[in-house]
Amino acid sequence: MQTMHKFNTDLEKCQANFQALTPIRFLTRAAEVFPDRTAVIYKDRRYTWAEYSDRCHKLARALIASGVERGNTVAIMAPNVPAMVEAQFGVPLSGGVINCINIRLDAAAVAFILEHSETKVMLVDQQFAKVARDAIALSGMPIPVIDIADSDAGSTDLIGKIEYEDFLESAPRTVSVRYPEEEWEAIALNYTSGTTGNPKGVVYHHRGAYLNSLGQIINAELAGRRPVYLWTLPLFHCNGWCYAWALAAVGGTHVCLRKAAASDIFAAIEQHQVTHFCSAPTVLNFLIAGKPASWKAPDEPIKVVCAGASPPVSVLQQVVEMGFSVLHVYGMTEMHGITTLCQSQESWEGLDLTERMGRLGRQGVRTVVADEMIVCAPDSYESVPRDGKTIGEVMFRGNLAMKGYLKNPAATREAFADGWYHTGDLAVMHEDGYIEIKDRSKDIIISGGENVSSLELEDVLYTLPAIAEVAVVAVPDEKWGEVPCAIIDLRPEHVGKVSEQDVIQFCRTKLPGFKVPRHIIFEPITRTATGKLQKFKLRAHAAEVISARKA
Amino acid sequence: MQTMHKFNTDLEKCQANFQALTPIRFLTRAAEVFPDRTAVIYKDRRYTWAEYSDRCHKLARALIASGVERGNTVAIMAPNVPAMVEAQFGVPLSGGVINCINIRLDAAAVAFILEHSETKVMLVDQQFAKVARDAIALSGMPIPVIDIADSDAGSTDLIGKIEYEDFLESAPRTVSVRYPEEEWEAIALNYTSGTTGNPKGVVYHHRGAYLNSLGQIINAELAGRRPVYLWTLPLFHCNGWCYAWALAAVGGTHVCLRKAAASDIFAAIEQHQVTHFCSAPTVLNFLIAGKPASWKAPDEPIKVVCAGASPPVSVLQQVVEMGFSVLHVYGMTEMHGITTLCQSQESWEGLDLTERMGRLGRQGVRTVVADEMIVCAPDSYESVPRDGKTIGEVMFRGNLAMKGYLKNPAATREAFADGWYHTGDLAVMHEDGYIEIKDRSKDIIISGGENVSSLELEDVLYTLPAIAEVAVVAVPDEKWGEVPCAIIDLRPEHVGKVSEQDVIQFCRTKLPGFKVPRHIIFEPITRTATGKLQKFKLRAHAAEVISARKA
């Protein structure tokens, strides 16, 4: 409610001084300001910003002509090819809501999404023709498909009635594209893979997408040298953390990639003078392993914006020496992607490398467009002390939070309880106000009344060179309630040479007794289609294995 | 009006996902993220961001305790000293609206502003104690004054009951600061000096101030190397183009200056490693004239954001050689400051220096947060062709436009007629979509039905080395309706050596006949307190002189 006074009298909003915030406005500006700059590179294709904008507008007009109305879902299942980058603007410009479907999902999961989102039209890259056809069949919905053909797709299947390029050419010239009527309108829909139950549809708004796009420019310093951005991060993750929109705001160049293998990354860097890319920490490992013999560090470091668990110090150190600068960030689908960054401090420059890398690997502080963040006791909302030890839940409040979950008011209410978005992630806050994620709240191990962070254990175990991969979960224990159990995938050359006792003994030298894993299981670790650990499944599996051992 | 569909159902705004946009939120973040970085430097004083934030909060609490309520005007009359920088946050945090008064105004003009704005409290730097005291007396209002004492003020007058530092210390600890209830609330009030009639009070909103602050970070690349910003631009111009707020968003350093003389600028650059400052083109002349013998170009150019008429190519060239990079921008009080920038293009790099500098001196393209700009016929709103010749009026639409003029609905309606903010500035649009301002609409000279740009004439005349300053205005003419008349201030060494005929002859070699000035008046040029040419006054004066000559 506004207090009435002279500054609120005869000073109303009007068309001249108020417009809906939307990132799609960046596109027409880029076409005007940078018409001849390269917007998109893919194999031997090149589009300037004028051409790219034209293609996005054609997509929008063709979608409108095919019946898409405001608030209709337009799904796309594609890797980071030009059509996928174009859809980020083309679908919203049609008034539709873009739903980028995770390409690692199976037909059943895709069918669920198509049904739940009431998908009106679907764009399908040939590589995913089979799963899309099966999903549509499962859904029983008559969803028209626009095929995206590509000789590199590894498939020549065409499951729709029209190919993408023909669809663009079919666009009537006289149809007007649609800008949002309000900035609170939906721009995108992203299904979370979820660790339990059915996926939830996270609804993005134009306001949040606009603000987070500007935020990304500031976070990753995209406004300085003209950015050449390599698409290693799948666009189906939070619309590529809003980078497709952010690049339009600064007239950068998208370098598309069907697959983000190390060889492709290095080739693109060499060929296109890539300045920025985003990645999970695993990509840093790829870079180290795949470094070409001829590699030379570039004059100016290549900025890698890296989200996920803190990369090990040695990994950070190696990529920095290779000429990359790593910006560690943290966020989630529900917050339009990136919400915190590990802002580097001048005072760290004097620290020794290990100490410095340790600081750089934390999740850090809220970005400038993320209004409020607390790490708190989930019942009292009281902030944890800045001791680097006390664990609390990370919560956010502000314009980056989603509209809510589509057709799921109960889940929305729960997520936004008491005016805070509850991330479910557990973190400590260090003395300098930087947060460090310790665990997902549901994966914390409570042993003898003490909280044990499975992440901390995993970090310690990863320092053992014999270990390729490890996941720590709780298993039931008569005495302690729960005890930590480590599932370990040994490197091939160490299989059979490392015993459970060796591992436990090693942990004893590094950790207090209650944190030492009581059980070790040597076996490969199962992940979801998106590469996520589903700890609730691993927990069930571990419980079975351990119970069988005892029997 | 929103269309109802599933994406607008059960997905309302709430405290978790919607907060009022306001730049004052940047302050608490800066205090948390950059607590030990230097926020403010003035003479031998230094405040970190933690200290600066604390001082701003104290100012807010002290103002609240002294009776300031939401929507009250808090005026400040001060040069770019720390109190002035602090007031940019302290006043809005009290719920008050900050009114930075032009320090070059006389008591009568200040009195008008105090009355019209219903000023509740006034902060006065000692340098302006006399004019403030006289203005308050003239207003007849019992406005309490907080004196800002400074040994460099050139005055020891204290006209209020409390000094600024004591006022901060008087702040009760228990009072809560105020965030805006809505982002459409007023944050600042800026009186335009105006070329006719009484000044108008331009009301800024939190939304526009927030967006333009983010815009400035992108325009001037403030997010890269940690910015050290020198306050050459008076903060009473559009709240320093939103830079006080923008610097908080990136944790930069304010270097305060009571006066922006060349010697002070060079001293600050050397002492504090200044990276950025803003200026009028005249400051570029100061830099060239005042270059110290020991000057060395810095490793990385110092960014000068420069608004106003295009600087002459030779001036641009010289400052670039000195190690400055000039970003030409354009804006106005009514648009929260900067609204366009001359975005540099790669394709210009191959051009010869004169050609390149000519392109860089244009007003350019809209910034990324300025939604829409047209150059059009003021009656039909039809855009002019991109021919670099046809003159039209510059108009803007979007979130950077003011709320309106305080207590002046008629002027607000006129300014926002037909949903566009009418700048009154006349420009051409070049083939590349860049605008170039040619004149204020009221200052165009219409001679024999042809439009003559007084600016173009001035540019030509400035290439004559004998000329120190020139202003071209229209004078009445029986035959042609109007003809151009040049008022010329010759450099001392040329006085008496250059004739009217010399000047006219020179122009004939450079311009088509109808553009050649018919009259020349040799005399110094009168400017307003803010250094603006009031062409309506010059016109009246020139008409008198010419008419007397004929008689």
Side-chain angles (χ1 to χ4, degrees), chain B residues 450-465:
Chain B
E450 296 284 353
N451 284 355
V452 178
S453 158
S454 57
L455 218 80
E456 187 190 357
L457 251 79
E458 286 165 13
D459 277 354
V460 167
L461 288 165
Y462 268 125
T463 64
L464 267 182

mmCIF file with all atom_site columns, all heavy atoms in Angstrom, chain B residues 450-465:
data_model
loop_
_atom_site.group_PDB
_atom_site.id
_atom_site.type_symbol
_atom_site.label_atom_id
_atom_site.label_alt_id
_atom_site.label_comp_id
_atom_site.label_asym_id
_atom_site.label_entity_id
_atom_site.label_seq_id
_atom_site.pdbx_PDB_ins_code
_atom_site.Cartn_x
_atom_site.Cartn_y
_atom_site.Cartn_z
_atom_site.occupancy
_atom_site.B_iso_or_equiv
_atom_site.pdbx_formal_charge
_atom_site.auth_seq_id
_atom_site.auth_comp_id
_atom_site.auth_asym_id
_atom_site.auth_atom_id
_atom_site.pdbx_PDB_model_num
ATOM 1   N N   . GLU B 1 450 ? 14.516 26.852 -44.861 1.00 0.00 ? 450 GLU B N   1
ATOM 2   C CA  . GLU B 1 450 ? 15.495 25.782 -44.641 1.00 0.00 ? 450 GLU B CA  1
ATOM 3   C C   . GLU B 1 450 ? 15.874 25.732 -43.162 1.00 0.00 ? 450 GLU B C   1
ATOM 4   O O   . GLU B 1 450 ? 16.050 26.777 -42.537 1.00 0.00 ? 450 GLU B O   1
ATOM 5   C CB  . GLU B 1 450 ? 16.761 26.044 -45.467 1.00 0.00 ? 450 GLU B CB  1
ATOM 6   C CG  . GLU B 1 450 ? 16.563 26.023 -46.959 1.00 0.00 ? 450 GLU B CG  1
ATOM 7   C CD  . GLU B 1 450 ? 16.425 24.617 -47.531 1.00 0.00 ? 450 GLU B CD  1
ATOM 8   O OE1 . GLU B 1 450 ? 16.626 23.620 -46.767 1.00 0.00 ? 450 GLU B OE1 1
ATOM 9   O OE2 . GLU B 1 450 ? 16.103 24.500 -48.703 1.00 0.00 ? 450 GLU B OE2 1
ATOM 10  N N   . ASN B 1 451 ? 16.007 24.516 -42.653 1.00 0.00 ? 451 ASN B N   1
ATOM 11  C CA  . ASN B 1 451 ? 16.472 24.387 -41.270 1.00 0.00 ? 451 ASN B CA  1
ATOM 12  C C   . ASN B 1 451 ? 17.990 24.547 -41.210 1.00 0.00 ? 451 ASN B C   1
ATOM 13  O O   . ASN B 1 451 ? 18.707 23.883 -41.949 1.00 0.00 ? 451 ASN B O   1
ATOM 14  C CB  . ASN B 1 451 ? 16.121 22.998 -40.713 1.00 0.00 ? 451 ASN B CB  1
ATOM 15  C CG  . ASN B 1 451 ? 14.648 22.908 -40.361 1.00 0.00 ? 451 ASN B CG  1
ATOM 16  O OD1 . ASN B 1 451 ? 13.923 23.902 -40.447 1.00 0.00 ? 451 ASN B OD1 1
ATOM 17  N ND2 . ASN B 1 451 ? 14.217 21.727 -39.964 1.00 0.00 ? 451 ASN B ND2 1
ATOM 18  N N   . VAL B 1 452 ? 18.428 25.420 -40.345 1.00 0.00 ? 452 VAL B N   1
ATOM 19  C CA  . VAL B 1 452 ? 19.868 25.568 -40.139 1.00 0.00 ? 452 VAL B CA  1
ATOM 20  C C   . VAL B 1 452 ? 20.165 25.149 -38.702 1.00 0.00 ? 452 VAL B C   1
ATOM 21  O O   . VAL B 1 452 ? 19.539 25.640 -37.765 1.00 0.00 ? 452 VAL B O   1
ATOM 22  C CB  . VAL B 1 452 ? 20.318 27.029 -40.355 1.00 0.00 ? 452 VAL B CB  1
ATOM 23  C CG1 . VAL B 1 452 ? 21.816 27.173 -40.084 1.00 0.00 ? 452 VAL B CG1 1
ATOM 24  C CG2 . VAL B 1 452 ? 19.968 27.493 -41.754 1.00 0.00 ? 452 VAL B CG2 1
ATOM 25  N N   . SER B 1 453 ? 21.095 24.240 -38.563 1.00 0.00 ? 453 SER B N   1
ATOM 26  C CA  . SER B 1 453 ? 21.459 23.798 -37.219 1.00 0.00 ? 453 SER B CA  1
ATOM 27  C C   . SER B 1 453 ? 22.502 24.743 -36.655 1.00 0.00 ? 453 SER B C   1
ATOM 28  O O   . SER B 1 453 ? 23.582 24.897 -37.216 1.00 0.00 ? 453 SER B O   1
ATOM 29  C CB  . SER B 1 453 ? 22.023 22.381 -37.278 1.00 0.00 ? 453 SER B CB  1
ATOM 30  O OG  . SER B 1 453 ? 22.811 22.156 -36.140 1.00 0.00 ? 453 SER B OG  1
ATOM 31  N N   . SER B 1 454 ? 22.174 25.363 -35.527 1.00 0.00 ? 454 SER B N   1
ATOM 32  C CA  . SER B 1 454 ? 23.145 26.281 -34.929 1.00 0.00 ? 454 SER B CA  1
ATOM 33  C C   . SER B 1 454 ? 24.378 25.502 -34.469 1.00 0.00 ? 454 SER B C   1
ATOM 34  O O   . SER B 1 454 ? 25.487 26.011 -34.474 1.00 0.00 ? 454 SER B O   1
ATOM 35  C CB  . SER B 1 454 ? 22.502 27.038 -33.766 1.00 0.00 ? 454 SER B CB  1
ATOM 36  O OG  . SER B 1 454 ? 21.999 26.151 -32.815 1.00 0.00 ? 454 SER B OG  1
ATOM 37  N N   . LEU B 1 455 ? 24.167 24.234 -34.113 1.00 0.00 ? 455 LEU B N   1
ATOM 38  C CA  . LEU B 1 455 ? 25.285 23.411 -33.650 1.00 0.00 ? 455 LEU B CA  1
ATOM 39  C C   . LEU B 1 455 ? 26.295 23.165 -34.761 1.00 0.00 ? 455 LEU B C   1
ATOM 40  O O   . LEU B 1 455 ? 27.508 23.208 -34.550 1.00 0.00 ? 455 LEU B O   1
ATOM 41  C CB  . LEU B 1 455 ? 24.740 22.065 -33.170 1.00 0.00 ? 455 LEU B CB  1
ATOM 42  C CG  . LEU B 1 455 ? 25.425 21.512 -31.942 1.00 0.00 ? 455 LEU B CG  1
ATOM 43  C CD1 . LEU B 1 455 ? 24.892 22.178 -30.693 1.00 0.00 ? 455 LEU B CD1 1
ATOM 44  C CD2 . LEU B 1 455 ? 25.239 20.025 -31.843 1.00 0.00 ? 455 LEU B CD2 1
ATOM 45  N N   . GLU B 1 456 ? 25.769 22.902 -35.931 1.00 0.00 ? 456 GLU B N   1
ATOM 46  C CA  . GLU B 1 456 ? 26.652 22.633 -37.073 1.00 0.00 ? 456 GLU B CA  1
ATOM 47  C C   . GLU B 1 456 ? 27.514 23.863 -37.350 1.00 0.00 ? 456 GLU B C   1
ATOM 48  O O   . GLU B 1 456 ? 28.723 23.761 -37.574 1.00 0.00 ? 456 GLU B O   1
ATOM 49  C CB  . GLU B 1 456 ? 25.787 22.285 -38.293 1.00 0.00 ? 456 GLU B CB  1
ATOM 50  C CG  . GLU B 1 456 ? 26.578 21.816 -39.495 1.00 0.00 ? 456 GLU B CG  1
ATOM 51  C CD  . GLU B 1 456 ? 25.723 21.725 -40.759 1.00 0.00 ? 456 GLU B CD  1
ATOM 52  O OE1 . GLU B 1 456 ? 24.497 21.970 -40.678 1.00 0.00 ? 456 GLU B OE1 1
ATOM 53  O OE2 . GLU B 1 456 ? 26.278 21.426 -41.813 1.00 0.00 ? 456 GLU B OE2 1
ATOM 54  N N   . LEU B 1 457 ? 26.876 25.022 -37.329 1.00 0.00 ? 457 LEU B N   1
ATOM 55  C CA  . LEU B 1 457 ? 27.627 26.262 -37.542 1.00 0.00 ? 457 LEU B CA  1
ATOM 56  C C   . LEU B 1 457 ? 28.689 26.443 -36.474 1.00 0.00 ? 457 LEU B C   1
ATOM 57  O O   . LEU B 1 457 ? 29.823 26.845 -36.763 1.00 0.00 ? 457 LEU B O   1
ATOM 58  C CB  . LEU B 1 457 ? 26.672 27.467 -37.484 1.00 0.00 ? 457 LEU B CB  1
ATOM 59  C CG  . LEU B 1 457 ? 26.435 28.132 -38.828 1.00 0.00 ? 457 LEU B CG  1
ATOM 60  C CD1 . LEU B 1 457 ? 25.435 27.314 -39.631 1.00 0.00 ? 457 LEU B CD1 1
ATOM 61  C CD2 . LEU B 1 457 ? 25.926 29.543 -38.615 1.00 0.00 ? 457 LEU B CD2 1
ATOM 62  N N   . GLU B 1 458 ? 28.308 26.180 -35.248 1.00 0.00 ? 458 GLU B N   1
ATOM 63  C CA  . GLU B 1 458 ? 29.274 26.341 -34.150 1.00 0.00 ? 458 GLU B CA  1
ATOM 64  C C   . GLU B 1 458 ? 30.469 25.414 -34.365 1.00 0.00 ? 458 GLU B C   1
ATOM 65  O O   . GLU B 1 458 ? 31.616 25.797 -34.138 1.00 0.00 ? 458 GLU B O   1
ATOM 66  C CB  . GLU B 1 458 ? 28.593 26.065 -32.806 1.00 0.00 ? 458 GLU B CB  1
ATOM 67  C CG  . GLU B 1 458 ? 27.663 27.187 -32.380 1.00 0.00 ? 458 GLU B CG  1
ATOM 68  C CD  . GLU B 1 458 ? 26.702 26.815 -31.256 1.00 0.00 ? 458 GLU B CD  1
ATOM 69  O OE1 . GLU B 1 458 ? 26.906 25.746 -30.625 1.00 0.00 ? 458 GLU B OE1 1
ATOM 70  O OE2 . GLU B 1 458 ? 25.748 27.574 -31.022 1.00 0.00 ? 458 GLU B OE2 1
ATOM 71  N N   . ASP B 1 459 ? 30.180 24.180 -34.812 1.00 0.00 ? 459 ASP B N   1
ATOM 72  C CA  . ASP B 1 459 ? 31.266 23.230 -35.070 1.00 0.00 ? 459 ASP B CA  1
ATOM 73  C C   . ASP B 1 459 ? 32.245 23.782 -36.095 1.00 0.00 ? 459 ASP B C   1
ATOM 74  O O   . ASP B 1 459 ? 33.462 23.675 -35.939 1.00 0.00 ? 459 ASP B O   1
ATOM 75  C CB  . ASP B 1 459 ? 30.691 21.902 -35.568 1.00 0.00 ? 459 ASP B CB  1
ATOM 76  C CG  . ASP B 1 459 ? 30.226 21.024 -34.420 1.00 0.00 ? 459 ASP B CG  1
ATOM 77  O OD1 . ASP B 1 459 ? 30.451 21.411 -33.258 1.00 0.00 ? 459 ASP B OD1 1
ATOM 78  O OD2 . ASP B 1 459 ? 29.638 19.973 -34.680 1.00 0.00 ? 459 ASP B OD2 1
ATOM 79  N N   . VAL B 1 460 ? 31.699 24.328 -37.153 1.00 0.00 ? 460 VAL B N   1
ATOM 80  C CA  . VAL B 1 460 ? 32.556 24.878 -38.214 1.00 0.00 ? 460 VAL B CA  1
ATOM 81  C C   . VAL B 1 460 ? 33.373 26.041 -37.662 1.00 0.00 ? 460 VAL B C   1
ATOM 82  O O   . VAL B 1 460 ? 34.582 26.137 -37.867 1.00 0.00 ? 460 VAL B O   1
ATOM 83  C CB  . VAL B 1 460 ? 31.688 25.335 -39.404 1.00 0.00 ? 460 VAL B CB  1
ATOM 84  C CG1 . VAL B 1 460 ? 32.507 26.203 -40.367 1.00 0.00 ? 460 VAL B CG1 1
ATOM 85  C CG2 . VAL B 1 460 ? 31.099 24.125 -40.122 1.00 0.00 ? 460 VAL B CG2 1
ATOM 86  N N   . LEU B 1 461 ? 32.716 26.913 -36.910 1.00 0.00 ? 461 LEU B N   1
ATOM 87  C CA  . LEU B 1 461 ? 33.408 28.098 -36.393 1.00 0.00 ? 461 LEU B CA  1
ATOM 88  C C   . LEU B 1 461 ? 34.511 27.711 -35.407 1.00 0.00 ? 461 LEU B C   1
ATOM 89  O O   . LEU B 1 461 ? 35.561 28.354 -35.343 1.00 0.00 ? 461 LEU B O   1
ATOM 90  C CB  . LEU B 1 461 ? 32.395 29.059 -35.752 1.00 0.00 ? 461 LEU B CB  1
ATOM 91  C CG  . LEU B 1 461 ? 31.507 29.777 -36.792 1.00 0.00 ? 461 LEU B CG  1
ATOM 92  C CD1 . LEU B 1 461 ? 30.302 30.415 -36.127 1.00 0.00 ? 461 LEU B CD1 1
ATOM 93  C CD2 . LEU B 1 461 ? 32.315 30.836 -37.551 1.00 0.00 ? 461 LEU B CD2 1
ATOM 94  N N   . TYR B 1 462 ? 34.271 26.641 -34.654 1.00 0.00 ? 462 TYR B N   1
ATOM 95  C CA  . TYR B 1 462 ? 35.275 26.215 -33.674 1.00 0.00 ? 462 TYR B CA  1
ATOM 96  C C   . TYR B 1 462 ? 36.569 25.757 -34.345 1.00 0.00 ? 462 TYR B C   1
ATOM 97  O O   . TYR B 1 462 ? 37.606 25.650 -33.704 1.00 0.00 ? 462 TYR B O   1
ATOM 98  C CB  . TYR B 1 462 ? 34.738 25.091 -32.779 1.00 0.00 ? 462 TYR B CB  1
ATOM 99  C CG  . TYR B 1 462 ? 34.099 25.604 -31.512 1.00 0.00 ? 462 TYR B CG  1
ATOM 100 C CD1 . TYR B 1 462 ? 32.795 25.265 -31.175 1.00 0.00 ? 462 TYR B CD1 1
ATOM 101 C CD2 . TYR B 1 462 ? 34.821 26.409 -30.625 1.00 0.00 ? 462 TYR B CD2 1
ATOM 102 C CE1 . TYR B 1 462 ? 32.201 25.728 -30.012 1.00 0.00 ? 462 TYR B CE1 1
ATOM 103 C CE2 . TYR B 1 462 ? 34.238 26.871 -29.458 1.00 0.00 ? 462 TYR B CE2 1
ATOM 104 C CZ  . TYR B 1 462 ? 32.927 26.534 -29.152 1.00 0.00 ? 462 TYR B CZ  1
ATOM 105 O OH  . TYR B 1 462 ? 32.366 26.990 -28.000 1.00 0.00 ? 462 TYR B OH  1
ATOM 106 N N   . THR B 1 463 ? 36.510 25.461 -35.621 1.00 0.00 ? 463 THR B N   1
ATOM 107 C CA  . THR B 1 463 ? 37.761 25.053 -36.283 1.00 0.00 ? 463 THR B CA  1
ATOM 108 C C   . THR B 1 463 ? 38.662 26.265 -36.551 1.00 0.00 ? 463 THR B C   1
ATOM 109 O O   . THR B 1 463 ? 39.804 26.106 -36.937 1.00 0.00 ? 463 THR B O   1
ATOM 110 C CB  . THR B 1 463 ? 37.480 24.318 -37.618 1.00 0.00 ? 463 THR B CB  1
ATOM 111 O OG1 . THR B 1 463 ? 36.848 25.244 -38.520 1.00 0.00 ? 463 THR B OG1 1
ATOM 112 C CG2 . THR B 1 463 ? 36.580 23.105 -37.419 1.00 0.00 ? 463 THR B CG2 1
ATOM 113 N N   . LEU B 1 464 ? 38.153 27.467 -36.351 1.00 0.00 ? 464 LEU B N   1
ATOM 114 C CA  . LEU B 1 464 ? 38.983 28.679 -36.468 1.00 0.00 ? 464 LEU B CA  1
ATOM 115 C C   . LEU B 1 464 ? 39.768 28.852 -35.178 1.00 0.00 ? 464 LEU B C   1
ATOM 116 O O   . LEU B 1 464 ? 39.191 29.052 -34.109 1.00 0.00 ? 464 LEU B O   1
ATOM 117 C CB  . LEU B 1 464 ? 38.090 29.917 -36.672 1.00 0.00 ? 464 LEU B CB  1
ATOM 118 C CG  . LEU B 1 464 ? 37.795 30.369 -38.093 1.00 0.00 ? 464 LEU B CG  1
ATOM 119 C CD1 . LEU B 1 464 ? 36.931 31.625 -38.047 1.00 0.00 ? 464 LEU B CD1 1
ATOM 120 C CD2 . LEU B 1 464 ? 39.076 30.646 -38.870 1.00 0.00 ? 464 LEU B CD2 1
ATOM 121 N N   . PRO B 1 465 ? 41.073 28.787 -35.235 1.00 0.00 ? 465 PRO B N   1
ATOM 122 C CA  . PRO B 1 465 ? 41.868 28.837 -33.992 1.00 0.00 ? 465 PRO B CA  1
ATOM 123 C C   . PRO B 1 465 ? 41.695 30.135 -33.214 1.00 0.00 ? 465 PRO B C   1
ATOM 124 O O   . PRO B 1 465 ? 41.917 30.155 -32.005 1.00 0.00 ? 465 PRO B O   1
ATOM 125 C CB  . PRO B 1 465 ? 43.314 28.703 -34.485 1.00 0.00 ? 465 PRO B CB  1
ATOM 126 C CG  . PRO B 1 465 ? 43.229 28.210 -35.900 1.00 0.00 ? 465 PRO B CG  1
ATOM 127 C CD  . PRO B 1 465 ? 41.916 28.645 -36.446 1.00 0.00 ? 465 PRO B CD  1
#
